[in-house]
Amino acid sequence: MADKEKICRHVAIIMDGNGRWAEAQGLPRADGHRRGAERVSDVMKAAKKCGVKYLTLYAFSTENWKRSPMEINAIMSLLGEFLDNKLPDLQKEGISLRTVGRTDELPSFVRKKLYRVIDATKNNKNGVLNLALNYGGRAEIVDAVNKILTDKSRKNNEITEADFGRYLYAPDLPDPDLMIRTSGELRLSNFLLWELSYSELYVTEKLWPDFGEEDFIKAVESFGGRKRRFGGREEK
Ligand code: FPP
């Protein structure tokens, strides 16, 4: 098998277990999210070490609005803080910030900070930190279909998979090679339903606030040991 098939360019992560981590120590759930937000820098460092260029993090799903207003506010404030504090580091490392999701429905203070950082980092070329915010895999597919229906430049009715992909939120990003989920749940939870079709899955029992650089490296190394066949036969 050609070596290039084992290169892990894009890792997507479901950062699960913040609430359980906090509850286990008798802390409010918001403390789990704070600790979880701190882990993002570690994982970015580990991604750099492993040569992973694209990192997509599931930070807030379309379903997360069902949580208490207090918890939603805590997550939104952490996002705001993260966006305020992270800009110098993103510039230093040459990483551009991107988002996928219905970001127009986020609180305006988050949107403002988000668009400011996206704009400031848009020409950075070393890597991409892609935050899934108010993201749902089904919503993304529905949004793509609606874009197709209103695209006046389309000439025929037939659509191919490649065509369809161009209407998704981030058509220029490669599909994730590896999807990591922390805290042991064996579910996709509406994350990147289209893009994860051929991704390798790695689930660890560790809760997200306990997930560090070494854990990320271990996950990427496990990917290197697997063979991807994309539905075809294994090459000799
Ligand atoms: C899942 O844990 C985590 C979330 C729903 C929110 C993730 C948010 C952060 C890590 C903070 C903000 C993000 C950034 C990028 C700064 P859970 O609450 O579902 O945990 P549980 O399943 O144990 O309850």
Side-chain angles (χ1 to χ4, degrees):
M1 174 173 279
D3 269 343
K4 76 173 171 39
E5 281 196 27
K6 287 191 181 177
I7 293 172
C8 195
R9 284 194 300 166
H10 185 173
V11 175
I13 309 183
I14 301 182
M15 309 182 288
D16 196 15
N18 295 348
R20 269 164 284 175
W21 182 90
E23 279 156 22
Q25 353 231 336
L27 295 168
R29 292 177 62 85
D31 286 16
H33 295 311
R34 173 165 294 281
R35 173 80 177 228
E38 287 163 12
R39 295 283 74 77
V40 172
S41 302
D42 297 347
V43 162
M44 286 174 69
K45 272 189 225 143
K48 185 182 173 188
K49 282 189 191 161
C50 298
V52 169
K53 209 171 163 187
Y54 305 91
L55 195 57
T56 296
L57 305 179
Y58 205 3
F60 196 83
S61 75
T62 46
E63 288 71 38
N64 286 153
W65 296 112
K66 293 182 199 141
R67 298 192 177 200
S68 74
M70 202 167 89
E71 186 171 351
I72 294 171
N73 287 342
I75 295 175
M76 293 301 155
S77 309
L78 283 167
L79 267 169
E81 266 181 50
F82 178 85
L83 294 166
D84 281 341
N85 298 335
K86 208 69 199 151
L87 183 58
D89 197 33
L90 293 170
Q91 300 296 42
K92 182 168 150 263
E93 297 294 339
I95 307 287
S96 68
L97 185 83
R98 299 272 302 266
T99 54
V100 286
R102 293 177 174 169
T103 50
D104 52 324
E105 293 168 5
L106 293 170
S108 70
F109 81 94
V110 175
R111 264 185 289 137
K112 273 189 210 140
K113 293 175 196 287
L114 192 60
Y115 299 148
R116 186 175 71 88
V117 179
I118 290 173
D119 191 54
T121 62
K122 65 176 184 249
N123 296 319
N124 290 348
K125 296 281 183 278
N126 294 344
V128 172
L129 174 65
N130 185 32
L131 297 182
L133 293 170
N134 193 21
Y135 176 87
R138 288 189 174 183
E140 180 176 22
I141 291 168
V142 167
D143 287 351
V145 171
N146 283 317
K147 280 185 224 162
I148 292 165
L149 293 175
T150 54
D151 182 352
K152 297 203 170 55
S153 70
R154 287 195 61 79
K155 293 198 175 59
N156 58 46
N157 293 327
E158 273 201 33
I159 187 147
T160 65
E161 285 187 14
D163 254 346
F164 187 81
R166 282 191 274 276
Y167 291 87
L168 295 169
Y169 294 142
D172 54 323
L173 264 50
D175 287 342
D177 302 290
L178 176 68
M179 195 281 274
I180 300 173
R181 180 167 190 151
T182 56
S183 91
E185 311 290 346
L186 300 174
R187 285 194 294 274
L188 281 183
S189 299
N190 204 13
F191 190 39
L192 304 175
L193 297 182
W194 180 276
E195 296 86 342
L196 291 178
S197 294
Y198 293 103
S199 309
E200 298 287 335
L201 307 182
Y202 180 94
V203 176
T204 168
E205 292 294 325
K206 278 215 174 170
L207 305 176
W208 177 252
D210 291 327
F211 190 86
E213 274 189 63
E214 289 305 314
D215 299 299
F216 183 90
I217 293 168
K218 199 167 131 197
V220 172
E221 280 173 358
S222 96
F223 168 86
R226 297 191 214 174
K227 292 192 167 150
R228 301 170 81 200
R229 292 187 290 276
F230 298 99
R233 290 178 47 141
E234 196 172 314
E235 285 172 37
K236 290 267 154 48

